[in-house]
């Protein structure tokens, strides 16, 4: 049955320990996978507080009563709530658990610890809330830190039991001694397991990769290690000091008890022997009055061992033992002490301790002497005689004598035949023999350990008047003060070290960590490109100096960037001028030719662009024109654009057809094209006499065509592959006819792909619409209308691509010359 009860207790405590972790994991999963995570703050805090408050109640009701207390896993619930689910939740859970513990005495829970436990549970929720808010900044602590937090909270709980029961300190110690290991371990473990469960439910690992801890976490771990080391060092010294102090106090207690009993026995023995000696002196008032008959009668009636009559010269004149007559008392140290009783001496009586006699050192006697008219009488008895005489006094001396609360005095005759102690102490023959043997082995004035009636005791023994007197004190009682002091001191040190840890960490966090966060925040803005930000962290000399250094560096960098930007802008200006000079800007370009009107423009998204247009008369009857768009923007696109423009111009000048120009240009552009750039292009050659156009499209947007009397439409045609992508490609040529009045409009994708602030694209439909609305305008005005319409559409949205267009109106063949 006892084994089953033990198993029940273990299972009960294990369930109470695991319950906060299981509920924490379940709540975490619900938050992440359901709409519960969208709940507003206060309803969620109240709900969590009530849930963990109920868990705290279960911790109480599943507790185990011992010494008027309830050993439980209650405080873990409000701590878990406050640390992981919010400060208000922890406070609510602590109040629920504490109030229920206060009233739980009505149905049998421990009354002795009622106040301490109720306060501790309520405070544990507040404690977790404060840590969550100020120490962890509402972030979840690691499981080792959570374990430490649970341990400190439970130590504070047990310390409150002491503080609320100072008038019953010993009972409080018994309660705390029994509850400390299971309660501290299980509550701390419950808090740590909740952290582990939450981390696993969130898909996080239990171990961080090395090198990614932030400074606050490193400070926490470092300080935790220092605090733990400091605690064990101080507790080691405290334990050593308390142990030595306990030994010293135990010796003092045993010595005092031994001294008191020894003095009582000695006083009783002395008084008894002196009383007998006075009776002998009354019967033999002088040496001459001593006779063998008188001495023998007195020896028998008084039941003593020896009677001697000593004359004025210190010689034994008469004795109950004839062998001693004529013995000179001055011949031995023990006997010479009695010469003070001679008529010329200073004393009238003398009593000695039980010791070896001068005549024969192997014989032990206790002697007393009394002066008579011409000498003195001496009475002595051995241990057997005076032990019989002192039995009543010895019994009285130890009958109610306690050493401490539960210790005792044991008096044993030297041969172990007689033993006395206080009532309730059972002295068996084995116990007496063990005590004598241990005493002999330890020697005089040495504390030794022995078991009395199954109770381990410290003991100190000495020989008194033929007795072996031992003072015994139970080791548990002897160590009680030291153990209690050590336990309370350890609790106080844990709380104090925890408070010091929190105070130092908060100080470091306030002075160092937050300042670093502020500096990093400003640096983040600076590295993000805002060089007008200033670092102004000046809560210490070091950070003020750092702020000044960063500001000076940023100012120097800002000046350098401004100078470099000015240089780049100048160079880009030169590049822009060079690029613009490569494009024709004189319109009409060939005023002597009345067969067509032509206008083209290019507006780069940056200072320089990758779009280009070109046109040139091949002869009096053929006009070549093209538009192209290089991949990318900026200087790389501008350089590739110049290469492509030059290649196409040189090839068309050879008289090659459009398809041949693109075929050869593609092969040239593929050579050394390590940047993998490419060009889309549309090129046509119009016969000014007939309006026939031979053209090729290398992946470019289809142009818009308007025939006389019709609206604009996109030219339906097949595209060839882009230029510069793959060598060896053969391009196809197409043809179309233009009648007088027809307009051909070429453009790059910067027109139709322009975006507004709503991320809407300009598109082909808007382009055709503005072209139709502007069809009656000159080609220059038509291009200007399209550009303005695109700008109106884009609004404040920045231009993200080059915008290039070319418009050609065919007027018909030139009149014949007369």
């Amino acid at each position: 049955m006892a084994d089953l009860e033990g198993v029940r207790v273990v299972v009960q405590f294990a369930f109470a320990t695991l319950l906060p972790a299981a509920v924490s994991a379940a709540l975490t999963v619900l938050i992440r996978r359901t709409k519960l995570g969208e709940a507003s703050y206060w309803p969620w805090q109240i709900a969590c507080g009530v849930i963990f408050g109920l868990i705290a109640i279960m911790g109480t009701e599943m507790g185990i009563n011992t010494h008027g207390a309830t050993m439980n896993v209650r405080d873990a619930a409000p701590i878990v709530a406050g640390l992981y689910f919010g400060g208000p939740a922890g406070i609510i859970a602590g109040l629920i658990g504490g109030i229920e513990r206060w009233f739980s005495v009505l149905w049998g829970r421990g009354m002795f610890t009622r106040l301490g436990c109720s306060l501790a549970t309520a405070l544990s929720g507040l404690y977790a809330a404060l840590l969550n808010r100020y120490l962890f900044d509402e972030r979840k602590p690691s499981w080792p830190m959570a374990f430490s937090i649970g341990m400190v909270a439970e130590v504070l709980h047990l310390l409150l039991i002491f503080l609320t029961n100072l008038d019953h300190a010993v009972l409080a110690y018994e309660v705390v001694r029994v509850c400390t290991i299971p309660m501290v371990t299980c509550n701390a473990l419950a808090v740590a397991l909740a952290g582990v469960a939450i981390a696993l439910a969130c898909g996080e690992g239990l171990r961080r990769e090395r090198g990614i801890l932030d400074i606050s976490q490193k400070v926490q771990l470092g300080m935790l290690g220092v605090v733990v080391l400091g605690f064990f060092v101080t507790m080691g010294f405290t334990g050593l000091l308390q142990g030595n102090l306990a030994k010293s106090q135990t010796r003092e207690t045993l010595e005092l008890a031994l001294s008191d009993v020894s003095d009582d026995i000695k006083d009783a023995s002395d008084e008894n022997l002196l009383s007998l000696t006075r009776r002998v002196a009354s019967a033999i008032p002088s040496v001459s009055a001593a006779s063998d008959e008188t001495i023998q009668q007195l020896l028998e009636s008084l039941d003593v061992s020896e009677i001697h009559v000593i004359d004025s010269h210190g010689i034994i004149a008469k004795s109950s033992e004839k062998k001693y007559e004529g013995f000179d008392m001055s011949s031995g140290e023990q006997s010479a002490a009695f010469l003070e009783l001679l008529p010329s001496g200073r004393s009238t009586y003398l009593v000695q301790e039980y010791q070896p006699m001068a005549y024969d050192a192997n014989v032990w006697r206790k002697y007393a002497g009394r002066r008579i008219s011409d000498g003195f009488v001496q009475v002595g008895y051995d241990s057997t005689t005076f032990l019989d005489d002192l039995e009543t006094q010895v019994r009285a001396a130890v009958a109610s004598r306690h050493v401490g609360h539960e210790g005792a005095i044991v008096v044993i005759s030297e041969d172990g035949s007689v033993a006395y102690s206080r009532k309730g102490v059972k002295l068996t023959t084995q116990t007496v023999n063990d005590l004598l043997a241990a005493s002999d082995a330890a020697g005089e004035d040495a504390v030794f350990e022995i078991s009395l009636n199954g109770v381990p005791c410290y003991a100190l023994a000495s020989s008194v008047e033929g007795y072996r007197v031992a003072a015994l004190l139970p080791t548990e009682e002897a160590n009680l003060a030291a153990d209690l002091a050590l336990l309370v001191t350890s609790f106080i040190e844990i709380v104090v070290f925890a408070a010091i840890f929190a105070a130092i960490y908060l100080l470091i966090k306030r002075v160092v960590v937050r300042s670093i966060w502020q500096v990093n925040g400003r640096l983040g803005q600076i590295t993000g490109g805002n060089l007008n930000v200033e670092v102004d962290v000046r809560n210490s000399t070091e950070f003020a100096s750092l702020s000044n250094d960063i500001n000076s560096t940023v100012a120097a960098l800002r000046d350098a960037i401004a100078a470099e930007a000015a240089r780049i802008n100048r160079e880009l200006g030169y590049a822009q001028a060079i690029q613009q000079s490569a494009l024709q800007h004189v319109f009409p370009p060939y005023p002597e030719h009345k067969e067509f009107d032509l206008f083209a423009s290019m507006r780069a998204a940056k200072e320089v662009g990758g779009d280009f247009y070109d046109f040139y008369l091949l002869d009096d009857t053929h006009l070549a024109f093209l538009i192209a768009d290089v991949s990318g923007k900026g200087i790389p696109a501008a350089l590739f654009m110049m290469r492509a423009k030059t290649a196409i111009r040189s090839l068309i000048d050879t008289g090659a057809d459009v398809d041949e120009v693109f075929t050869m240009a593609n092969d040239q552009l593929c050579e050394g094209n390590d940047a993998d750039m490419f060009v889309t292009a549309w090129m046509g050659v119009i016969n000014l006499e007939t309006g026939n156009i031979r053209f090729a499209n290398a992946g470019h947007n289809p142009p818009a065509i308007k025939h006389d009397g019709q609206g604009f439409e996109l030219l339906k045609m097949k595209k060839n592959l882009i230029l510069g992508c793959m060598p060896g490609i053969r391009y196809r040529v197409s043809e179309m006819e233009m009648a007088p009045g027809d307009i051909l409009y070429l453009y790059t994708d910067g027109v139709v792909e322009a975006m507004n602030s709503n991320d809407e694209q300009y598109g082909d439909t808007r382009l055709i619409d503005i072209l139709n609305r502007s069809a009656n305008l000159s080609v220059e005005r038509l291009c200007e209308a399209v550009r303005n319409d695109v700008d109106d559409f884009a609004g404040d949205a920045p231009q993200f691509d080059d915008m290039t267009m070319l418009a050609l109106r065919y007027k018909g063949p030139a009149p014949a010359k007369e």
Side-chain angles (χ1 to χ4, degrees):
M1 291 297 292
D3 291 342
L4 290 176
E5 180 64 18
V7 171
R8 183 190 68 80
V9 170
V10 171
V11 171
Q12 189 169 308
F13 247 59
F15 177 78
T17 302
L18 294 173
L19 185 58
V23 173
S24 297
L27 287 175
T28 302
V29 171
L30 288 175
I31 291 171
R32 293 172 63 86
R33 299 185 180 180
T34 67
K35 292 184 177 181
L36 189 61
E38 302 174 3
S40 56
Y41 182 76
W42 278 108
W44 170 246
Q45 290 296 301
I46 293 172
C48 287
V50 171
I51 291 171
F52 283 97
L54 294 174
I55 296 174
I57 291 175
M58 291 185 66
T60 298
E61 298 307 317
M62 296 179 70
I64 300 167
N65 288 338
T66 175
H67 292 79
T70 302
M71 191 161 51
N72 60 84
V73 189
R74 177 178 58 249
D75 294 342
I79 295 173
V80 170
L83 280 181
Y84 297 111
F85 295 94
I91 294 173
I92 293 169
L95 289 174
I96 292 173
I99 292 171
E100 191 275 341
R101 174 62 183 91
W102 178 266
F103 289 103
S104 66
V105 297
L106 300 177
W107 47 87
R109 295 300 166 189
M111 182 67 184
F112 182 71
T113 58
R114 177 188 196 183
L115 178 58
C117 288
S118 299
L119 284 174
T121 303
L123 290 175
S124 63
L126 178 61
Y127 162 71
L130 293 174
L131 291 179
N132 181 43
R133 175 65 178 84
Y134 295 104
L135 199 64
F136 300 112
D137 296 316
E138 299 183 354
R139 295 184 297 177
K140 296 178 177 60
S142 62
W143 71 262
M145 188 63 69
F147 186 89
S148 302
I149 290 168
M151 183 185 71
V152 171
E154 208 56 27
V155 166
L156 182 61
H157 180 153
L158 297 171
L159 190 57
L160 281 172
I161 292 177
F162 273 117
L163 295 177
T164 54
N165 293 282
L166 291 177
D167 51 342
H168 300 288
V170 175
L171 180 56
Y173 166 75
E174 290 297 326
V175 170
V176 172
R177 183 178 63 83
V178 172
C179 296
T180 294
I181 293 178
M183 285 183 62
V184 170
T185 302
C186 290
N187 278 278
L189 193 59
V191 178
L193 288 176
V196 171
I198 291 172
L200 293 176
C202 293
E204 300 172 358
L206 299 182
R207 296 181 62 187
R208 294 179 179 266
E209 294 182 12
R210 296 186 64 182
I212 63 172
L213 292 174
D214 60 40
I215 188 170
S216 63
Q217 292 167 327
K218 289 185 177 180
V219 169
Q220 287 175 7
L221 293 176
M223 287 181 56
L224 181 62
V226 171
V227 165
V228 171
L229 178 62
F231 169 76
F232 281 111
V233 169
T234 55
M235 286 312 302
F237 280 113
T238 302
L240 183 63
L241 178 63
Q242 290 291 344
N244 290 334
L245 183 61
K247 289 180 180 179
S248 177
Q249 290 175 338
T250 298
R251 169 175 283 279
E252 289 178 2
T253 301
L254 294 174
E255 286 178 345
L256 180 60
L258 202 61
S259 174
D260 289 345
V261 173
S262 297
D263 289 345
D264 288 347
I265 294 175
K266 186 175 180 301
D267 290 345
S269 173
D270 290 352
E271 181 59 33
N272 182 70
L273 189 54
L274 281 174
S275 175
L276 297 175
T277 304
R278 283 194 294 269
R279 292 173 64 180
V280 171
S282 298
I284 306 175
S286 64
V287 176
S288 59
S291 66
D292 293 340
E293 183 179 357
T294 302
I295 290 174
Q296 192 63 37
Q297 288 176 350
L298 290 171
L299 187 70
E300 294 176 357
S301 63
L302 298 179
D303 192 20
V304 295
S305 300
E306 301 171 6
I307 297 176
H308 309 293
V309 180
I310 296 89
D311 63 18
S312 60
H313 301 291
I315 305 298
I316 297 178
K318 288 288 185 179
S319 174
S320 60
E321 296 285 343
K322 292 301 181 180
K323 62 182 179 179
Y324 297 145
E325 289 181 359
F327 178 75
D328 187 352
M329 297 290 286
S330 64
S331 61
E333 183 179 355
Q334 176 268 326
S335 58
F338 282 93
L339 295 179
E340 290 292 327
L341 299 178
L342 293 175
S344 61
R346 292 175 297 179
S347 302
T348 58
Y349 66 89
L350 176 67
V351 62
Q352 284 185 329
E353 294 181 355
Y354 185 65
Q355 59 184 298
M357 62 187 298
Y359 184 85
D360 184 354
N362 294 320
V363 179
W364 286 60
R365 291 286 188 272
K366 181 178 179 66
Y367 288 105
R370 180 80 178 181
R371 179 183 295 176
I372 55 178
S373 62
D374 52 356
F376 61 89
V377 296
Q378 186 184 52
V379 178
Y381 55 25
D382 56 21
S383 61
T384 302
T385 306
F386 80 76
L387 289 181
D388 290 340
D389 290 345
L390 293 178
E391 179 180 358
T392 301
Q393 291 91 330
V394 172
R395 286 184 182 275
V398 300
S400 58
R401 177 88 56 176
H402 285 254
V403 180
H405 292 285
E406 300 296 331
I409 295 291
V410 177
V411 179
I412 308 172
S413 62
E414 290 291 353
D415 60 2
S417 60
V418 179
Y420 310 107
S421 186
R422 66 177 174 82
K423 185 177 181 181
V425 176
K426 184 179 179 182
L427 296 175
T428 64
T429 302
Q430 185 62 46
T431 300
V432 171
N433 292 337
D434 290 346
L435 185 56
L436 290 174
S439 175
D440 290 337
E444 288 285 338
D445 202 35
V447 176
F448 57 93
E449 294 185 37
I450 192 169
S451 179
L452 180 63
N453 297 334
V455 178
C457 296
Y458 292 118
L460 183 66
S462 66
S463 296
V464 180
E465 301 292 332
Y467 288 102
R468 189 73 58 87
V469 182
L472 293 92
L473 181 65
T475 55
E476 183 175 342
E477 182 180 340
N479 296 329
L480 175 63
D483 291 345
L484 191 152
L486 186 63
L487 186 65
V488 174
T489 302
S490 66
F491 284 177
I492 292 175
E493 284 198 2
I494 288 174
V495 174
V496 169
F497 273 122
I500 292 174
F501 171 89
I504 294 176
Y505 173 74
L506 289 174
L507 182 62
I508 293 175
K509 180 179 175 182
R510 182 180 181 85
V511 175
V512 179
V513 177
R514 286 186 178 175
S515 297
I516 292 176
W517 287 348
Q518 292 175 13
V519 171
N520 285 341
R522 295 293 186 177
L523 287 175
Q525 293 178 274
I526 292 170
T527 56
N530 186 359
L531 298 183
N532 294 318
V533 172
E534 286 193 0
V535 179
D536 190 24
V537 180
R538 305 186 181 278
N539 57 2
S540 66
T541 304
E542 291 79 6
F543 278 104
S545 176
L546 178 62
S547 296
N548 292 335
D549 292 344
I550 293 174
N551 291 334
S552 298
T553 302
V554 172
L557 178 63
R558 187 167 56 240
D559 294 341
I561 290 175
E564 186 65 16
R567 183 188 67 80
I568 292 173
N569 286 335
R570 287 195 301 271
E571 294 183 358
L572 285 175
Y574 298 150
Q576 186 179 37
I578 292 171
Q579 184 182 46
Q580 291 296 327
S581 67
L583 301 176
Q584 300 189 50
H585 294 285
V586 178
F587 298 100
Y590 307 106
E592 69 276 11
H593 283 270
K594 306 300 182 182
E595 301 97 328
F596 64 93
D597 283 338
L598 185 146
F599 181 82
S601 69
M602 193 273 284
R603 187 172 71 183
K606 295 186 176 181
E607 288 80 358
V608 291
D611 287 5
F612 68 93
Y613 60 84
D614 207 352
F615 50 86
Y616 20 82
L617 283 171
L618 302 178
D619 52 42
D620 287 341
T621 59
H622 290 86
L623 173 71
F625 57 97
L626 78 149
I627 192 167
D629 183 1
V630 177
S631 60
K633 304 176 184 66
I635 292 177
L639 293 174
F640 201 75
M641 163 260 190
M642 295 297 292
R643 181 182 175 190
K645 183 175 182 296
T646 302
I648 294 174
R649 179 68 177 265
S650 62
L651 290 170
I652 198 67
D653 284 342
T654 64
D657 202 357
V658 176
D659 57 335
E660 296 174 342
V661 170
F662 273 8
T663 298
M664 291 185 287
N666 175 65
D667 290 339
Q668 291 182 19
L669 293 175
C670 286
E671 293 179 4
N673 186 14
D674 296 333
D676 293 328
M677 301 189 74
F678 59 86
V679 182
T680 67
W682 195 100
M683 181 177 182
V685 176
I686 184 171
N687 187 325
L688 298 177
E689 292 183 346
T690 64
N692 175 266
I693 298 179
R694 290 177 64 79
F695 64 90
N697 185 351
H700 198 76
N701 301 80
I705 181 73
K706 179 187 182 301
H707 295 290
D708 191 30
Q710 301 178 18
F712 276 93
E713 62 180 355
L714 294 179
L715 182 63
K716 293 180 175 60
M717 55 183 292
K718 292 183 178 180
K719 293 182 180 180
N720 293 298
L721 193 64
I722 55 180
L723 301 177
C725 179
M726 182 183 300
I729 300 298
R730 300 294 301 174
Y731 288 80
R732 298 185 302 273
V733 67
S734 300
E735 291 187 58
M736 70 175 179
E737 301 293 332
M738 290 188 70
D742 290 354
I743 302 174
L744 184 65
Y745 176 80
L746 308 178
Y747 59 95
T748 59
D749 56 10
V751 175
V752 293
E753 293 179 3
M755 306 289 289
N756 64 13
S757 57
N758 294 325
D759 291 334
E760 295 174 335
Q761 205 171 68
Y762 184 74
D764 295 335
T765 303
R766 288 187 177 88
L767 176 61
I768 296 299
D769 181 62
I770 187 62
L771 287 173
N772 286 329
R773 286 189 280 119
S774 307
N776 295 327
L777 301 176
S778 67
V779 289
E780 180 179 357
R781 295 291 184 184
L782 181 142
C783 290
E784 182 179 348
V786 173
R787 185 168 56 250
N788 291 338
D789 193 60
V790 172
D791 290 343
D792 291 341
F793 170 79
D796 296 332
Q799 179 183 341
F800 74 93
D801 200 1
D802 302 336
M803 188 185 302
T804 304
M805 57 188 77
L806 183 150
L808 172 69
R809 175 181 279 118
Y810 179 61
K811 294 182 178 181
K817 296 181 180 180
E818 296 180 358

